[in-house]
Amino acid sequence: MATEVALLESRALRDEQMGRVDVLDKVKCLVMLPDGIHVRTEGVARYFEVSTEVVKKVTQRHRVELVENGLRTLRGSELHVFHRDMLSLWSGKGAESYPQAATQLRLYTRRTVLNVAMLLRDSDVARCVRTYLLDAEQDLRAGYASLEHRVTRVENHLAGVGTALQELGPVLGRMSHRLDSLDRRLEVTHQVVGAMSVRLGGVSEDVARLDGRMDALARNLKELNRRNKR
């Protein structure tokens, strides 16, 4: 796990934390310029509760790194346009008090301010930011460890399911064979029942003819009895 000293000394470790600009507001409110994007050197100094000279020295020593993380220096026409845009965004009273740099203006983004927090040694606010970063990293690692443990448990359960399915395969095969055999037997039964139905239909016809002959015989016997009585 990274330590505060390692964070101060290692550019690679600082680069890993560059996305955690939300930590700044957890420590202290960072007052931005009217565009909501930039902060002047004076604003950075107020945030870290140090002098502007301290911020300037840190910026000079690590200029390349800070430029890669959003530091800008405006001059000439670019500076004039920026001041004009800031004044147009300034709402309410006090626009005339907006500080306009005469020759150049150094601007920091939230990402740049976070970078300064990982470089500035003599600031309690910067130390608090670094503490938040390191605690968040520890929590993140603990979360990853917990997630990995849960994934391992799921994998173990799935392995057990796989074994059970392998054991169940032959059983399902035998059941399928028995069901096929039962289907064949039912088909034969249907055929036998069909044949019996046909034969019963023939028997019914024979019984009907026999009934007719018996009725005729009964009539003949009655006629014969009448004749004998005469």
Side-chain angles (χ1 to χ4, degrees):
M1 175 184 171
T3 63
E4 184 179 356
V5 174
L7 199 60
L8 288 164
E9 300 295 336
S10 172
R11 167 84 187 265
L13 290 178
R14 292 194 294 272
D15 287 343
E16 291 179 0
Q17 303 294 334
M18 275 298 112
R20 298 301 312 280
V21 294
D22 59 297
V23 171
L24 295 173
D25 290 326
K26 292 181 179 179
V27 176
K28 185 180 178 181
C29 178
L30 177 63
V31 180
M32 315 294 290
L33 287 174
D35 63 355
I37 299 175
H38 297 100
V39 187
R40 296 164 58 101
T41 302
E42 293 79 5
V44 177
R46 282 194 296 272
Y47 179 81
F48 289 113
E49 300 176 2
V50 296
S51 68
T52 56
E53 290 302 317
V54 170
V55 176
K56 289 177 180 179
K57 287 180 181 179
V58 171
T59 301
Q60 290 170 358
R61 286 197 301 267
H62 302 277
R63 183 176 180 81
V64 174
E65 180 180 344
L66 292 172
V67 167
E68 290 181 4
N69 286 303
L71 179 69
R72 297 173 60 196
T73 302
L74 305 183
R75 298 180 180 87
S77 60
E78 190 177 16
L79 176 59
H80 175 73
V81 171
F82 182 81
H83 282 321
R84 184 190 65 196
D85 292 342
M86 290 302 100
L87 287 171
S88 68
L89 292 171
W90 205 282
S91 60
K93 297 180 180 180
E96 65 281 357
S97 65
Y98 168 72
Q100 300 188 38
T103 58
Q104 70 175 25
L105 176 62
R106 186 169 289 162
L107 296 174
Y108 300 74
T109 63
R110 296 176 69 84
R111 187 181 177 93
T112 322
V113 175
L114 180 62
N115 201 161
V116 172
M118 291 185 281
L119 295 168
L120 192 58
R121 296 175 182 270
D122 300 324
S123 167
D124 291 337
V125 176
R127 279 192 286 271
C128 286
V129 172
R130 292 192 291 270
T131 299
Y132 265 100
L133 287 173
L134 295 173
D135 289 346
E137 181 183 6
Q138 184 177 9
D139 292 342
L140 185 62
R141 291 180 183 275
Y144 282 148
S146 176
L147 178 60
E148 183 178 1
H149 176 67
R150 284 180 291 182
V151 170
T152 301
R153 290 179 58 188
V154 171
E155 289 176 343
N156 291 335
H157 288 313
L158 289 176
V161 171
T163 302
L165 288 176
Q166 290 177 352
E167 296 175 352
L168 189 59
V171 175
L172 292 175
R174 291 193 296 271
M175 290 180 63
S176 177
H177 177 73
R178 293 177 64 182
L179 288 173
D180 290 341
S181 176
L182 181 60
D183 285 340
R184 290 192 296 270
R185 293 171 63 184
L186 286 174
E187 181 63 26
V188 172
T189 301
H190 286 319
Q191 293 176 358
V192 172
V193 170
M196 290 178 64
S197 177
V198 172
R199 294 183 61 184
L200 287 173
V203 170
S204 177
E205 293 176 357
D206 292 341
V207 170
R209 287 195 297 270
L210 181 59
D211 286 342
R213 295 177 63 183
M214 292 296 292
D215 290 340
L217 179 59
R219 288 193 298 272
N220 291 334
L221 288 174
K222 288 180 180 180
E223 182 63 25
L224 182 60
N225 287 332
R226 283 195 300 270
R227 291 177 180 179
N228 289 332
K229 289 178 180 179
R230 292 175 184 175

